[in-house]
Amino acid sequence: MPEGHTIHRLAQDYAAAFRGTSPRVTSPQGKFSDAAALLDGAELTRTDAHGKHLFLGFRDTDWVHIHLGLFGKVAFGPASAPPPTDTVRLRLANTAAHVDLRGPTTCALITGSEKQAVHDRLGPDPLRADADPREAYRRISRSRTSIAALLMDQKVVAGVGNVYRAEVLFRHGIDPYRAGRDITPAQWDAIWADLVALMREGVRTNRIDTVRPEHTPEAMGRPPRVDDHGGEVYVYRRANQPCHLCGGEIRTAGLAARNLFWCPGCQTP
DNA sequence: AGCTCATGGCGAG
DNA sequence: TCGCCCTGAGCTG
């Protein structure tokens, strides 16, 4: 589920369902029980997102810091909340809705200054108004590390995950192993602008679609294909299949414990 | 029932 | 670079 677009969408959805209300706060699974008791009945005043980090603001000073990790999931439902299963870390419930959080790597009650510390260690987020892409380029342009690894480094850019990384590099014809220092300013500007557009669209639709209109299955007369993650893509999880553009075989390789996908025909070193 | 894999990230060595 | 944490789906028997 979770790349940055998912988290920003969740910030919106939590706000839409709970902002201005004082929900019951529980932790059926138990790992968040003490904090839940402190927040129970407090007003949810605001929400925020930076990269893959989600923040729920209660009262004036309390924040719940949530990171879904690889497995975390959030499920919204109506007020008639079913009995929670024993994996629900955090449940909010008001008179109109409930929401369950399962499997997060982080769910912690923090202060405003602790929240600020999280912002401080994250790079610019294409989905945030305060993002400065030059901050990212400063690191990228000085690095011998591959652009694929840099895009996944949350200190460099916040919110890009394995799908957006693979897809944006394909869309710009850049081989994932190219060193950061070999990315030109113009290339970075184009990548950033593309990330902003793709991820905004991702927030809107709640899925990752990266295929340009002229390359959709309908436009190219090939059978529709949607990845398990729910969107249509050029290379992500398409190892050994033909590239939509050049017909060459999509390749895959491990990079820093994640699977990388690219088209050697379309992406130049 | 058990294995593998997944859109993340951390700390140890 | 590896092992580990969080969970669930989709296989394999």
Side-chain angles (χ1 to χ4, degrees):
Chain A
M1 281 280 287
E3 296 198 22
H5 70 300
T6 303
I7 308 310
H8 283 258
R9 174 59 179 258
L10 286 173
Q12 289 179 9
D13 291 350
Y14 267 94
F18 296 98
R19 187 170 52 202
T21 75
S22 300
R24 298 303 312 267
V25 182
T26 54
S27 180
Q29 180 215 38
K31 286 192 184 176
F32 194 63
S33 293
D34 292 351
L38 292 172
L39 295 172
D40 190 31
E43 182 184 351
L44 184 109
T45 49
R46 54 213 157 137
T47 66
D48 195 11
H50 188 153
K52 300 166 189 171
H53 297 254
L54 173 65
F55 304 94
L56 307 180
F58 287 86
R59 306 187 184 99
D60 294 330
T61 54
D62 296 334
W63 291 94
V64 177
H65 175 208
I66 294 168
H67 194 295
L68 295 183
L70 199 48
F71 309 137
K73 283 189 171 50
V74 172
F76 287 85
S80 54
T85 58
D86 59 9
T87 56
V88 176
R89 181 79 58 89
L90 172 66
R91 167 174 282 189
L92 306 188
N94 63 15
T95 54
H98 79 277
V99 60
D100 287 343
L101 167 68
R102 289 165 222 269
T105 52
T106 302
C107 176
L109 182 57
I110 62 169
T111 65
S113 63
E114 287 168 331
K115 174 175 183 281
Q116 187 55 49
V118 176
H119 291 296
D120 291 345
R121 65 180 163 81
L122 292 172
D125 175 348
L127 290 171
R128 285 179 68 92
D130 61 9
D132 179 1
R134 290 170 303 182
E135 206 178 296
Y137 189 69
R138 240 171 267 137
R139 284 168 169 272
I140 291 167
S141 61
R142 284 194 266 116
S143 179
R144 280 161 298 192
T145 303
S146 68
I147 185 62
L150 289 165
L151 283 173
M152 289 281 279
D153 183 341
Q154 302 297 299
K155 296 188 296 297
V156 177
V157 190
V160 172
N162 210 15
V163 183
Y164 282 123
R165 150 175 92 172
E167 294 298 309
V168 81
L169 289 176
F170 177 88
R171 285 167 61 97
H172 293 266
I174 295 170
D175 185 282
Y177 293 102
R178 194 188 298 179
R181 55 157 63 144
D182 295 328
I183 301 293
T184 68
Q187 283 168 335
W188 176 247
D189 288 346
I191 289 171
W192 179 267
D194 207 22
L195 285 172
V196 170
L198 288 172
M199 293 176 76
R200 278 186 187 160
E201 180 70 0
V203 173
R204 196 177 70 75
T205 60
N206 219 357
R207 47 183 263 176
I208 301 178
D209 292 288
T210 60
V211 176
R212 301 175 198 280
E214 63 270 31
H215 300 145
T216 60
E218 305 78 60
M220 298 192 69
R222 55 183 167 78
R225 178 197 171 278
V226 171
D227 183 80
D228 292 341
H229 78 275
E232 183 151 14
V233 291
Y234 285 107
V235 293
Y236 176 69
R237 281 207 297 218
R238 293 198 62 242
N240 307 316
Q241 296 175 48
C243 172
H244 294 331
L245 269 59
C246 77
E249 207 169 76
I250 303 299
R251 288 188 57 189
T252 186
L255 180 66
R258 312 304 301 281
N259 293 320
L260 182 59
F261 302 88
W262 79 103
C263 172
C266 294
Q267 299 176 249
T268 56

